[in-house]
């Protein structure tokens, strides 16, 4: 959904395979048939590994349904749709967006948080039999003002409190660095807990290529990030959720400049 946008969607799968990626994510795959997406990926030797659950009417401003008490049934229907797509695509991880707070409510709104926690508890219990890990992701308030969940600590505390094996945290280092300013420290704190189910990366602050050769003040040196992950023994996927400055292919030199190739064989780069 972020890379190879110069191509029609299904052609992006071939492009990422040609560039050596073997795993892919899609924010919202629901305009296609799941069988079509699976056939396309299978034909290119690519495995879908992450999708988002439907998040409401995105084009009209929705950014998730989980914290809206008036849309509980819509949330449950969205989770069931995501489950069906994930099972067909053999996707092991689904991101569930929390949603925006209603206008005029603060981030400490008790009713929104109570609804959010209740919905996640329902999800974990109802979906326990399926081989899917459901993830929540803190998103920074610069890019998404009013989003309920923006703190790593809050997300991890919530998942720890619910204590369900099929719930985890999607840790986007771009959002983490913009919100909290020390993504390396956050990795050291949270990766060892086992709650981190997925990582995503982008350059800070402009969300372009995560290139260690161009780390501005306050940015994030991904050469250091990858060495930190190697030290911590992280062996999951890393999602490239960034906006290429030009064509995707022309910008992939960051992989070599950060030392990703070769030194991080245990990690699985993907588009």
């Amino acid at each position: 959904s972020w890379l190879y946008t110069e191509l029609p969607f299904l052609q992006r799968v071939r492009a990422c395979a040609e560039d050596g990626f073997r795993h892919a994510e899609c924010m919202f795959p629901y305009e296609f048939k799941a069988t079509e997406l699976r056939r396309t990926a299978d034909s290119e030797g690519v495995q879908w590994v992450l999708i988002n659950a439907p998040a409401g009417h995105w084009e009209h401003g929705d950014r998730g349904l989980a914290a809206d008490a008036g849309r509980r049934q819509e949330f449950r229907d969205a989770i069931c749709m995501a489950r069906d797509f994930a099972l067909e695509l053999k996707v092991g991880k689904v991101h569930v967006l929390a949603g925006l707070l209603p206008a005029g409510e603060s981030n400490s709104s008790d009713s929104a948080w109570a609804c959010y926690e209740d919905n996640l508890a329902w999800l974990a219990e109802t979906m326990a039999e399926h081989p899917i890990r459901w993830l929540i992701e803190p998103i920074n308030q610069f890019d998404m003002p009013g989003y309920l969940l923006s703190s790593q600590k809050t997300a991890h505390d919530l998942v720890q409190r619910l204590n369900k094996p099929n719930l985890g945290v999607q840790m986007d280092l771009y959002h983490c660095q913009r919100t909290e300013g020390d993504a390396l420290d956050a990795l050291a704190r949270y990766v060892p807990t086992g709650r981190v189910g997925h990582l995503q990366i982008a350059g800070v602050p402009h969300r372009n290529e995560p290139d260690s050769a161009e780390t501005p003040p306050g940015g994030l040196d991904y050469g250091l990030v990858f060495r930190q992950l190697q030290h911590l023994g992280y062996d999951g996927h890393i999602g490239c959720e960034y906006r290429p400055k030009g064509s995707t292919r022309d910008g992939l030199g960051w992989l070599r400049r950060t030392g990703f190739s070769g030194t991080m064989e245990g990690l699985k780069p993907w588009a």
Side-chain angles (χ1 to χ4, degrees), residues 140-187:
N140 78 75
Q141 295 286 322
F142 302 102
D143 288 20
M144 202 173 287
Y147 192 74
L148 180 72
L149 182 66
S150 58
S151 159
Q152 292 293 325
K153 184 179 187 305
T154 303
H156 283 271
D157 285 352
L158 176 56
V159 169
Q160 184 176 33
R161 184 166 64 252
L162 290 171
N163 193 29
K164 299 293 185 181
N166 60 342
L167 290 181
V169 177
Q170 178 169 304
M171 196 170 176
D172 187 314
L173 300 186
Y174 163 78
H175 292 303
C176 180
Q177 184 74 8
R178 292 219 67 190
T179 299
E180 301 171 47
D182 195 344
L184 289 172
D185 180 69
L187 286 171

Side-chain angles (χ1 to χ4, degrees), residues 81-93:
M81 178 180 288
R83 173 204 60 201
D84 293 345
F85 264 74
L87 292 175
E88 176 62 35
L89 297 176
K90 294 186 177 180
V91 164
K93 296 174 283 190

Side-chain angles (χ1 to χ4, degrees), residues 59-179:
E59 66 280 9
H60 296 147
D62 283 343
R63 293 297 181 266
L65 302 166
D68 191 333
R71 302 171 76 177
R72 286 181 186 264
Q73 189 57 52
E74 190 177 349
F75 170 78
R76 295 184 177 194
D77 292 344
I79 294 301
C80 290
M81 178 180 288
R83 173 204 60 201
D84 293 345
F85 264 74
L87 292 175
E88 176 62 35
L89 297 176
K90 294 186 177 180
V91 164
K93 296 174 283 190
V94 177
H95 171 214
V96 180
L97 285 97
L100 304 178
L101 283 160
E105 290 196 29
S106 72
N107 194 252
S108 61
S109 169
D110 289 341
S111 60
W113 280 104
C115 175
Y116 185 41
E117 188 161 342
D118 285 349
N119 275 335
L120 290 176
W122 169 87
L123 182 162
E125 184 69 27
T126 304
M127 299 293 158
E129 67 183 87
H130 301 296
I132 302 168
R133 197 171 190 194
W134 303 84
L135 306 176
I136 61 174
E137 176 191 12
I139 297 177
N140 78 75
Q141 295 286 322
F142 302 102
D143 288 20
M144 202 173 287
Y147 192 74
L148 180 72
L149 182 66
S150 58
S151 159
Q152 292 293 325
K153 184 179 187 305
T154 303
H156 283 271
D157 285 352
L158 176 56
V159 169
Q160 184 176 33
R161 184 166 64 252
L162 290 171
N163 193 29
K164 299 293 185 181
N166 60 342
L167 290 181
V169 177
Q170 178 169 304
M171 196 170 176
D172 187 314
L173 300 186
Y174 163 78
H175 292 303
C176 180
Q177 184 74 8
R178 292 219 67 190
T179 299

